[in-house]
Amino acid sequence: MNGRVLRIELKRSVAPWAGLVVLGGSLAFLCLINGMWWRGAAAWTAQWTSMALTTRCMLAYLWPLAVGFGAVHGLRDSRSRMTELLTTTPRPAWRRTALSAGATAITLASGFGLLVLVGGVQVALGATTYLPLGWPVISLVAVLALVAAALFGMGVARALPSMLTPPVLVVLFLAATVLLRLFTDEALPTGHLPNRLSLLSPVTEMPREMLLTLSGSVDLGQTLWLLGLLATGFALLVAATRRARLLAVAPVLVGAALALLILPAAPRDTYVVDKAAAALVCDGPVCVTQAHRSRLPELAPRGKEALRVLHDALGDQAPTSVREETALRELAGQRELSGGVVLVDLDDPLIAHAAGAELTRQLVVQGLMPNCEPRTDWEGGGLVDVPVQSVAASWALGDHQLQPLQKPETDPYSSRSWANAEAAWEKLTALPPAEQRSRIAAARTAALSCTGKQLAVLTGDTSQ
């Protein structure tokens, strides 16, 4: 009997539409828009944690929609004027309510689960070999958030049977997600409100750093708060008296209080580095993170070749190892450079898309004249250094003419920059070998100190 009723609910209620909107809307947003979630090491199809965080980011609009769908479902009895009739039936109210709420929960969980499945298949078919244990928790909390919002909407609509209830709830939840939002401009996501308060929203930000994940205290605190929200929604659904409705508010208050005690107060304890993913895996002097272990077979021989070239060019001052860059930084913040290590930023498009001899050239550049400004899809900095970096790489690799690291642009600024690089190349190669080495070493010092005077050092122009 219960199974038959549940099937009827799934066929004739608003519940299936909720699941379709969750799945279809999210896939349309993620797949039809060429956004930042497709680029870099933190792309949503590149790593399991990035996939989980990106799909959960969809809660920014799915959470308000879930409470709206729940409220519309909760108005069904009052719209059909069956409320008094249903109270006279021998079936307990909680059992009748459980079937209706269960149908909504099943469709929402199925819709979001299929979304995660689509992302998971792409990650599994990708290059990564790292499988973290914590990523399913991120997605399960998202499912709980959707179900809790829907049941809360159903309960409030049952207690306040008005056609204004669904839109008002949607607007309130949407406003809450905006006010409680965290921003990724800093090294760690931070919000405008106190951190514990911001974490009452289950919405995550689009991941910018591949190594970051949510801490266990965040998962636990949000789970308690959402369970309280769910319990209040269910209690409002079955409440038949004014007193019962007032008591139904207790679970959400208790859940919020417990969550505020558990949720971290500081951003550094909210998003934390996945230590297992950040652990270094090495082949001789070339090291990458465990998350990018699949890149090591390609990177190791090229890194060793680059170190040999750098030793020939710089002698004892040359770096002795190649290591993937793992330091967290604010958006557009300067990189933490080191003269003894070639830092490899796999978010740098020039490095990420390079292979073979071109990859060796890019590694030589990072050891000889690294860019201080990060060169990622999120920031776009560091491109101004490409012309002078091309000069340094061509010199170290013994090219007979200047070889650009990327195809020069045709705008006036780029044309002028490349013309200056050509002039610097001609001046540098016309000098005696000892003087060439001296200027390259001085330009490298300028690059490591982030003075931006590499080109002037190469040309001997002391007036800049």
Side-chain angles (χ1 to χ4, degrees):
M1 182 65 179
N2 288 342
R4 182 185 174 198
V5 174
L6 183 60
R7 286 195 297 271
I8 293 174
E9 287 281 352
L10 290 173
K11 287 181 180 179
R12 299 183 180 180
S13 71
V14 73
W17 290 104
L20 287 174
V21 168
V22 167
L23 177 61
S26 299
L27 285 179
F29 183 87
L30 290 172
C31 298
L32 299 182
I33 300 176
N34 186 22
M36 295 304 301
W37 49 89
W38 286 107
R39 303 188 181 100
W44 84 291
T45 57
Q47 299 287 341
W48 291 100
T49 300
S50 299
M51 182 275 296
L53 289 172
T54 302
T55 52
R56 184 162 155 182
C57 180
M58 296 296 99
L59 291 185
Y61 73 89
L62 293 181
W63 206 41
L65 285 178
V67 75
F69 274 114
V72 171
H73 199 174
L75 289 176
R76 182 179 60 180
D77 293 347
S78 64
R79 287 201 311 268
S80 57
R81 299 179 181 178
M82 293 179 57
T83 304
E84 293 183 3
L85 177 62
L86 291 173
T87 58
T88 64
T89 61
R91 181 185 292 268
W94 70 264
R95 184 176 295 179
R96 185 178 66 252
T97 300
L99 291 173
S100 179
T104 302
I106 289 172
T107 56
L108 286 172
S110 299
F112 194 82
L114 288 173
L115 171 65
V116 173
L117 179 62
V118 170
V121 168
Q122 296 183 78
V123 175
L125 295 177
T128 186
T129 58
Y130 175 65
L131 180 60
L133 299 178
W135 78 265
V137 178
I138 299 173
S139 297
L140 288 174
V141 173
V143 172
L144 177 59
L146 291 174
V147 173
L151 261 67
F152 183 76
M154 292 174 67
V156 173
R158 184 70 61 86
L160 301 172
S162 167
M163 294 302 294
L164 294 177
T165 300
V168 168
L169 284 177
V170 170
V171 171
L172 288 176
F173 270 60
L174 186 61
T177 60
V178 173
L179 290 174
L180 301 179
R181 180 187 175 190
L182 297 177
F183 298 90
T184 57
D185 295 346
E186 302 295 327
L188 293 170
T190 54
H192 296 312
L193 298 178
N195 196 64
R196 285 194 174 102
L197 195 60
S198 295
L199 291 176
L200 291 179
S201 169
V203 182
T204 58
E205 282 304 301
M206 200 67 66
R208 182 171 63 88
E209 298 283 358
M210 178 269 301
L211 295 175
L212 287 182
T213 187
L214 288 173
S215 66
S217 58
V218 173
D219 295 328
L220 178 58
Q222 290 183 338
T223 297
L224 292 174
W225 145 245
L226 293 171
L227 285 175
L229 189 68
L230 186 150
T232 288
F234 191 80
L236 287 172
L237 274 173
V238 300
T241 64
R242 188 185 192 91
R243 180 183 179 187
R245 294 190 184 99
L246 290 175
L247 291 175
V249 182
V252 70
L253 296 178
V254 172
L258 291 175
L260 291 174
L261 291 175
I262 295 172
L263 292 171
R268 66 176 180 273
D269 299 319
T270 303
Y271 283 84
V272 296
V273 173
D274 184 342
K275 294 181 179 179
L280 294 180
V281 181
C282 301
D283 182 345
V286 182
C287 299
V288 297
T289 60
Q290 182 72 36
H292 285 141
R293 186 170 189 164
S294 59
R295 295 291 305 269
L296 189 58
E298 177 189 21
L299 195 63
R302 296 298 169 181
K304 294 172 185 176
E305 175 65 15
L307 290 176
R308 184 193 63 78
V309 173
L310 290 169
H311 185 269
D312 293 341
L314 299 172
D316 294 338
Q317 300 301 315
T320 57
S321 62
V322 177
R323 191 181 74 234
E324 180 182 349
E325 189 172 355
T326 58
L328 303 178
R329 60 172 182 268
E330 63 182 9
L331 198 66
Q334 288 188 341
R335 302 169 65 200
E336 298 178 5
L337 301 177
S338 171
V341 180
V342 178
L343 290 177
V344 181
D345 185 0
L346 293 178
D347 268 330
D348 185 338
L350 296 185
I351 296 176
H353 300 148
E358 182 58 30
L359 180 56
T360 302
R361 182 177 292 269
Q362 295 292 342
L363 296 177
V364 168
V365 163
Q366 293 303 318
L368 197 59
M369 206 166 294
N371 46 288
C372 285
E373 303 299 327
R375 194 159 53 205
T376 69
D377 291 308
W378 284 87
E379 294 146 317
L383 292 177
V384 294
D385 297 318
V386 171
V388 69
Q389 287 179 329
S390 299
V391 174
S394 296
W395 176 86
L397 292 168
D399 296 329
H400 297 294
Q401 59 183 7
L402 179 61
Q403 298 292 332
L405 292 174
Q406 67 173 14
K407 185 178 179 180
E409 301 290 339
T410 57
D411 62 277
Y413 178 81
S414 296
S415 299
R416 185 167 61 253
S417 298
W418 283 104
N420 293 337
E422 284 283 357
W425 169 257
E426 295 296 335
K427 287 184 179 181
L428 179 66
T429 54
L431 295 172
E435 181 63 19
Q436 292 181 25
R437 289 178 178 273
S438 176
R439 291 199 181 184
I440 286 290
R444 180 173 185 259
T445 301
L448 292 172
S449 60
C450 298
T451 61
K453 297 181 179 181
Q454 298 92 300
L455 191 63
V457 172
L458 287 178
T459 58
D461 186 357
T462 58
S463 62
Q464 294 190 31

